[in-house]
Amino acid sequence: MSIDATSSREPPKGASALAFRSGSADDRATPSRHRERSATRGRKPRRLTIGRIGLYGFVAVAAAFFLLPAVVMVLTSLKTMPEIREGSIFALPESFDLTAWIKAWSSACTGLDCEGIRVGFWNSVVITVPSTIASIAAGAILGYALSFWRVKGADVLFAILLLGAFLPYQIFLYPMVRAFSMVGLYNTLACIVIVHVIFGLPIMTLIFRNFYAGLPVELFNAARVDGGGFFRIFWNVMLPMSTPILIVAAILQITNIWNDFILGLVFAGRENLPMTVQLNNVVNSTYGEREYNLNMAATILTAAVPLLVYFVSGRWFVRGIAAGAVKG
């Protein structure tokens, strides 16, 4: 009697079953995945050595060194003035008093006006959002052009941009003030946005150029063969692959623009002063007793946005840096 070989679908038993299971493509790939993962993460130490203890101690001391001012600021902002005068700066507050925070936000005096630093907060938002978007867009397009489109004089232009990235702001202030005054834009919102875009363009061009230089040129060539033009290739091919570096650029620009003081003081005008300038006015507009809890609360509120941006997207920042932000 003949047996149909296709009639039985049961896997073999015993050693044959083991061979059958190990023959699966997914199962064969699993050990290699584990080896790659372990090779990437490195070998886990089995015992605590003196060098590792020293490394942990150094990291702990460095973390405490940088966190100590922030802890003192938070504790001081939650204390009343009698507690601050009579107690230690490291002492915990007797009761968590948010009066200084409320006053710093809504009623602290920033010169002649006593509306708190909330006015500066919204001014900083209005300045930061368009400045960040415009500088990233300009830097991405220029970096893409310098990487794939070999225009005449591209190396000279890139060298000039790099020179602008490392020159101090102060040498440009007076010429720019004169130039914006002549065109009627000085002390306006448009003026400070344009200034931030100009000063952010060199570093944005640098990081986008280095990122695009690491992409395969075959992608660009294939898009050119398919009839893609300058902006179509950028929008449909390059931009979808630029998520890591876009996050890096956004973090850098938000932090730099939000924390800026001198450009906002010179170019923003009285009606558009950013939060950092308002903070300086709060600290220096005190008459009589200096309210340290109010100053600390205002400082923390001013620094909250950059800290929040970094804590939320810090891991993306590290990925973007590793993907090519400092490469080339």
Side-chain angles (χ1 to χ4, degrees), residues 160-172 199:
I160 294 174
L161 284 173
L162 286 184
L163 182 64
F166 296 105
L167 291 177
Y169 291 170
Q170 288 80 358
I171 66 175
F172 298 105
F199 283 112

Side-chain angles (χ1 to χ4, degrees), residues 71-72 74-76 78-79 83 86-94:
V71 172
V72 172
V74 173
L75 293 178
T76 304
L78 296 174
K79 296 177 183 178
E83 287 184 75
E86 298 172 3
S88 170
I89 60 173
F90 300 107
L92 294 176
E94 297 178 0

Side-chain angles (χ1 to χ4, degrees), residues 142-294:
L142 191 54
Y144 156 70
L146 293 175
S147 299
F148 294 103
W149 297 82
R150 301 300 179 182
V151 297
K152 187 176 181 180
D155 294 336
V156 176
L157 176 61
F158 186 61
I160 294 174
L161 284 173
L162 286 184
L163 182 64
F166 296 105
L167 291 177
Y169 291 170
Q170 288 80 358
I171 66 175
F172 298 105
L173 291 183
Y174 182 72
M176 295 184 71
V177 167
R178 296 293 298 170
F180 283 111
S181 299
M182 291 176 62
V183 297
L185 289 178
Y186 183 61
N187 280 349
T188 63
L189 179 61
C191 177
I192 185 61
V193 170
I194 294 173
V195 168
H196 281 304
V197 172
I198 292 174
F199 283 112
L201 189 58
I203 189 65
M204 292 294 103
T205 303
L206 174 64
I207 65 174
F208 276 102
R209 179 184 181 274
N210 289 343
F211 178 79
Y212 289 138
L215 298 180
V217 70
E218 290 78 11
L219 293 173
F220 174 77
N221 293 334
R224 288 285 289 163
V225 171
D226 290 340
F230 182 91
F231 286 104
R232 186 171 183 181
I233 296 175
F234 173 76
W235 186 261
N236 294 332
V237 179
M238 300 301 166
L239 201 59
M241 296 187 295
S242 304
T243 301
I245 204 66
L246 286 172
I247 295 175
V248 170
I251 294 175
L252 289 176
Q253 282 301 90
I254 291 174
T255 303
N256 291 335
I257 296 172
W258 190 277
N259 292 334
D260 167 70
F261 175 81
I262 186 170
L263 298 180
L265 178 65
V266 174
F267 295 100
R270 185 177 179 84
E271 301 298 326
N272 304 299
L273 292 177
M275 204 173 186
T276 51
V277 179
Q278 297 282 29
L279 172 64
N280 177 74
N281 294 340
V282 169
V283 174
N284 293 318
S285 298
T286 302
Y287 297 97
E289 182 184 41
R290 186 173 293 275
E291 299 178 278
Y292 294 104
N293 51 358
L294 172 65

Side-chain angles (χ1 to χ4, degrees), residues 51-71:
R52 188 163 294 276
I53 294 175
L55 177 61
Y56 289 156
F58 173 77
V59 172
V61 171
F65 177 80
F66 286 106
L67 287 176
L68 188 61
V71 172

